[in-house]
Amino acid sequence: CSRGVFAEDTLPSYTTDEVVVSATKTLNSISDAGGSSVTVITAEDIANSGKETVAEVIKGVPGIDIASSGGIGSTTSIFMRGADSKNVLLLIDGVPTNDPSEMSRAASIANLTVDNIERIEVVRGPLSSLYGASASAGVINIITKRGGVESSVYGGVEGGSFGTNKFYGGATGMKGLFDYAVNVSRYRTDGFSTVDERNRCINPGNAEYEDDSYENTTWSGNFGLKLSSVASLRTVLRYTDAALDYDASNADSSVNSSDTKSFNGRIALTLDTKPLFSTFSYDFNSIDRDYTEGTTVNRYHGYLYDLGWQGDIAATANNTVTVGLNYQNESLDNNAWGTAMDKSVDTKSAFLQEQWHIGEFDLVGAVRFEDHETFGNKTTWRVAPSYVLGDTKLKFSYGTGYTAPSLYQLYSTASDWGPSGNDQLKPETSRGWDAGFEQKVVDNLKFGATYFRTDYDDRIDFVSGSGYVQVPGKTKTSGVESFVEWNPLEQLFLAGNYTYTYTRNPL
């Protein structure tokens, strides 16, 4: 019983030109986003998939691989175009949610459910020129639902194997100058043992292993208030409390558990004073992770806040100029394995982007200047042209990337895990490009392919016994992404994609 109580169901239109924000930080259709490689997953796509987590939903996107250490709620990593998980930036309504307390500052995705999501935008390729460090491989932006003129209330109950159940509900609507969309969900499962009890090497005595349970409570809200004819205020919030029982890497365990609490959001004031559209924003992301192993409790806390201004100027009918200023601070407060660490770092940045639309030719170019408290100044840039010739779209992009070492990689001390931190590390840098085409055969059938390549210099890696080190030389990733989409009937949509990825470390 997962249908809206008062909401009207609509069928998605898969072959239309979706609207995206993440490729340029401005509202555009995909066709006007230049040579960017973009995939949009709509709310209808998510509902029709029947999947419960963001990790499950994005796993089928070209260029993306998802790796998990077990069942739902276990450690889950995102890899894009062969790059490390630390090179992918995860946003929720534009708020950076990579975990500052995590070893490599990778995104925390294990506990993200699909509740209250309007769409997911995936942009592949170097985007440090727009988003700074951690976006050298690409960006995933999860955009939540907003309230509309038509009010709706919905609720649902679900159940299944392994003692799994879910309860959820929410409401959307508008009251005068105020709009709202709220959702709450509770998911629980008894799960199964992550360690394979049928493996005779692990379980020679054929003992019965315990199940690894998981529970997740998530609340989210998106609220807007129109202050005047030119000013609006919007607040988005998301809170998750998740608990997991987990096993050791090669043995069943009844004493290992984790508890994760995350809270992130944005407060944004927009001013539409044509030709300038300004956005003043405050973003925050707080993650608390506790791991209990017997009588030992290891605690990790990461926090990030970002103060920003973005100005979009409609210079001419064919040209949009975007200017942005940001101050970001990230910190960690870890107490784990007998050692404590309390560190923080701030970054100041400015970026400039030009968008040109001349007939069938689109060009997006951006440059970003960052002043990192530890590593000083860094400049990244990107150019992404595209051209439409009849029913064929040709696209290309080239950009530079940059990933600063995490606070953990720099300052963690020796523990039971061995030596770790290395304060002599310097940032990774990269150069990447892609080229491809999209071909419309008829209105309801299209296909395409894109070749990509990225070279990483000074890649940061972990070596047992030595801790975090800089890999000398170039680490190279390359491959091909391809897709085909066919909508033969109004209620039938068929799609397939194939990605070939080849990665190699320096010889």
Side-chain angles (χ1 to χ4, degrees):
C1 47
S2 59
R3 296 295 184 186
V5 179
F6 301 113
E8 179 182 356
D9 293 328
T10 58
L11 287 171
S13 179
Y14 294 95
T15 54
T16 58
D17 195 12
E18 297 286 354
V19 173
V20 295
V21 176
S22 311
T24 61
K25 280 195 171 183
T26 60
L27 199 62
N28 265 325
S29 63
I30 291 179
S31 62
D32 291 331
S36 303
S37 294
V38 184
T39 298
V40 177
I41 304 171
T42 66
E44 290 84 1
D45 298 336
I46 295 171
N48 291 336
S49 73
K51 296 174 180 176
E52 297 290 348
T53 67
V54 171
E56 292 176 303
V57 170
I58 66 175
K59 193 170 185 177
V61 172
I64 284 186
D65 189 24
I66 302 294
S68 176
S69 63
I72 186 170
S74 60
T75 302
T76 305
S77 301
I78 314 168
F79 301 94
M80 188 179 292
R81 288 185 169 179
D84 292 326
S85 57
K86 66 177 181 289
N87 302 120
V88 181
L89 179 62
L90 180 68
L91 309 171
I92 299 179
D93 288 306
V95 179
T97 63
N98 287 40
D99 186 356
S101 70
E102 202 271 340
M103 294 181 181
S104 62
R105 203 200 295 105
S108 178
I109 195 173
N111 299 310
L112 280 176
T113 61
V114 298
D115 302 286
N116 206 31
I117 293 178
E118 177 64 28
R119 67 185 187 276
I120 302 173
E121 299 178 359
V122 180
V123 188
R124 300 176 292 280
L127 285 170
S128 292
S129 57
L130 282 183
Y131 295 97
S134 300
S136 56
V139 167
I140 298 172
N141 192 8
I142 299 168
I143 299 171
T144 59
K145 295 180 180 179
R146 294 187 180 188
V149 176
E150 297 295 329
S151 298
S152 66
V153 178
Y154 58 90
V157 179
E158 299 174 3
S161 302
F162 304 104
T164 303
N165 58 75
K166 180 180 180 180
F167 305 87
Y168 65 94
T172 66
M174 180 179 292
K175 297 292 184 182
L177 302 178
F178 176 71
D179 67 82
Y180 60 91
V182 294
N183 179 276
V184 63
S185 67
R186 170 70 174 174
Y187 178 97
R188 192 191 183 284
T189 181
D190 292 337
F192 53 87
S193 177
T194 300
V195 178
D196 186 3
E197 62 188 59
R198 298 168 298 179
N199 188 323
R200 297 299 182 187
C201 297
I202 296 176
N203 186 17
N206 199 30
E208 184 175 344
Y209 285 175
E210 63 145 14
D211 294 333
D212 297 327
S213 64
Y214 173 73
E215 56 187 50
N216 180 311
T217 301
T218 294
W219 178 91
S220 62
N222 191 323
F223 310 96
L225 177 63
K226 192 168 182 60
L227 301 174
S228 69
S229 59
V230 298
S232 297
L233 186 67
R234 183 158 297 278
T235 300
V236 290
L237 302 167
R238 188 179 186 94
Y239 175 80
T240 297
D241 186 353
L244 171 72
D245 294 331
Y246 64 93
D247 291 327
S249 58
N250 62 348
D252 183 52
S253 173
S254 60
V255 296
N256 293 352
S257 63
S258 69
D259 184 75
T260 302
K261 295 179 175 64
S262 63
F263 183 41
N264 52 68
R266 159 175 283 203
I267 302 172
L269 173 67
T270 59
L271 299 175
D272 188 3
T273 54
K274 294 181 174 56
L276 174 64
F277 185 88
S278 290
T279 302
F280 301 87
S281 61
Y282 171 75
D283 301 342
F284 67 90
N285 179 44
S286 175
I287 300 177
D288 286 287
R289 296 179 290 125
D290 291 352
Y291 297 90
T292 301
E293 298 189 0
T295 59
T296 302
V297 180
N298 300 306
R299 293 186 168 90
Y300 302 83
H301 172 65
Y303 186 78
L304 175 146
Y305 71 87
D306 186 294
L307 292 169
W309 168 78
Q310 179 174 316
D312 304 313
I313 307 168
T316 68
N318 299 322
N319 177 224
T320 301
V321 180
T322 300
V323 181
L325 301 172
N326 288 86
Y327 172 83
Q328 185 178 102
N329 178 276
E330 61 178 70
S331 61
L332 62 78
D333 183 5
N334 294 351
N335 194 333
W337 304 107
T339 63
M341 181 169 44
D342 186 357
K343 296 289 183 179
S344 66
V345 66
D346 62 56
T347 305
K348 297 178 282 291
S349 60
F351 72 90
L352 171 68
Q353 178 181 254
E354 286 266 8
Q355 299 181 65
W356 289 94
H357 309 288
I358 306 171
E360 301 300 324
F361 177 73
D362 290 326
L363 176 64
V364 178
V367 61
R368 184 185 188 91
F369 173 81
E370 288 202 348
D371 180 13
H372 191 282
E373 180 182 357
T374 303
F375 300 108
N377 301 336
K378 184 65 181 177
T379 301
T380 54
W381 59 274
R382 178 175 180 262
V383 60
S386 68
Y387 183 73
V388 177
L389 184 63
D391 290 330
T392 305
K393 178 180 180 179
L394 305 174
K395 59 180 184 176
F396 174 83
S397 73
Y398 184 97
T400 60
Y402 148 72
T403 302
S406 71
L407 293 169
Y408 189 97
Q409 290 169 337
L410 288 169
Y411 303 117
S412 59
T413 55
S415 67
D416 293 342
W417 291 93
S420 294
N422 179 359
D423 60 7
Q424 300 302 307
L425 292 174
K426 55 185 179 181
E428 294 181 0
T429 58
S430 62
R431 293 177 178 269
W433 65 275
D434 57 40
F437 73 94
E438 296 176 8
Q439 179 67 50
K440 184 173 73 172
V441 181
V442 290
D443 287 341
N444 63 351
L445 175 63
K446 64 179 180 179
F447 65 93
T450 300
Y451 173 84
F452 62 87
R453 172 167 174 168
T454 306
D455 294 346
Y456 293 87
D457 289 305
D458 299 316
R459 177 173 165 265
I460 300 169
D461 200 3
F462 181 83
V463 176
S464 180
S466 301
Y468 289 98
V469 299
Q470 214 95 44
V471 178
K474 292 184 183 295
T475 300
K476 302 178 180 180
T477 71
S478 60
V480 176
E481 301 164 349
S482 59
F483 76 93
V484 59
E485 295 181 355
W486 186 32
N487 194 181
L489 302 173
E490 183 180 3
Q491 296 182 335
L492 176 63
F493 172 69
L494 303 173
N497 68 73
Y498 175 80
T499 301
Y500 171 80
T501 306
Y502 179 62
T503 64
R504 52 199 180 277
N505 286 322
L507 299 177

